[in-house]
Amino acid sequence: MVSGEYESMKALHSISPDLTPEPIAWGTFAQADHVHFFLCEFIDMTDDLPAVEPTMKMLAELHAKSSSPNVELAPLRPVRHGIGEEYIEAYFKNFEISPPTEDQDDRNALYYLRWDMNCSALYPGNLRYRKIHIEVMKYLTEQIYRWI
């Protein structure tokens, strides 16, 4: 699992070094073969949101330069993460919405469903993610029924 994270971060960093920390190493502890590590460049984070235009331009460039046929990178789900509409608008100035454009938000919700399920499994005592993904599944089911 950590080798996959290392390789993924290495690929992301090679495409967009200003957007991602540089991966340094991964491995297994010699004295505890069930304990693994992933080490990357330290970035001192703050609670401040990044500048809208340059950040979304870098993210859109990352998505545009991604060439993996097996991976579709999903754009931000801004409201979920406390990021305002200006971020999503700035993103789509630099990265065209895939057709059908009217389904963009629904596709985005579907992409994030996997994240919500993983978080729910990682934190079984915290029902926040479980409630979120149940609400998203209800919403997506309603969207499917509008076409039937």
Side-chain angles (χ1 to χ4, degrees):
M1 185 165 155
V2 291
S3 65
E5 180 66 18
Y6 174 80
E7 293 300 328
S8 296
M9 286 298 296
K10 195 164 83 170
L12 288 171
H13 189 72
S14 72
I15 295 170
S16 188
D18 294 331
L19 191 62
T20 60
E22 183 176 7
I24 297 168
W26 72 275
T28 301
F29 283 92
Q31 288 80 16
D33 62 1
H34 63 286
V35 178
H36 312 284
F37 67 90
F38 166 65
L39 183 63
C40 68
E41 171 189 19
F42 176 77
I43 296 178
D44 194 8
M45 305 287 282
T46 68
D47 288 335
D48 298 330
L49 291 175
V52 176
E53 294 294 330
T55 303
M56 294 300 98
K57 184 176 182 185
M58 285 190 294
L59 184 61
E61 288 173 357
L62 170 67
H63 287 171
K65 291 177 183 175
S66 174
S67 61
S68 173
N70 301 320
V71 176
E72 182 172 346
L73 296 172
L76 294 174
R77 186 104 174 121
V79 175
R80 169 89 49 87
H81 301 289
I83 297 174
E85 250 337 280
E86 68 271 17
Y87 281 85
I88 200 76
E89 289 171 10
Y91 175 85
F92 285 123
K93 283 182 190 175
N94 297 286
F95 194 83
E96 190 175 332
I97 297 174
S98 301
T101 57
E102 64 273 10
D103 291 342
Q104 170 56 36
D105 196 52
D106 296 344
R107 288 193 309 269
N108 213 352
L110 183 61
Y111 299 146
Y112 263 86
L113 196 56
R114 179 174 179 240
W115 170 263
D116 295 335
M117 290 177 158
N118 285 338
C119 290
S120 179
L122 285 170
Y123 306 102
N126 183 341
L127 299 180
R128 177 176 171 258
Y129 290 108
R130 190 162 300 153
K131 288 177 184 176
I132 290 171
H133 84 249
I134 288 171
E135 289 305 312
V136 170
M137 289 189 320
K138 286 179 184 177
Y139 168 79
L140 290 172
T141 302
E142 290 169 6
Q143 299 312 304
I144 290 169
Y145 280 116
R146 75 178 178 178
W147 296 106
I148 296 176

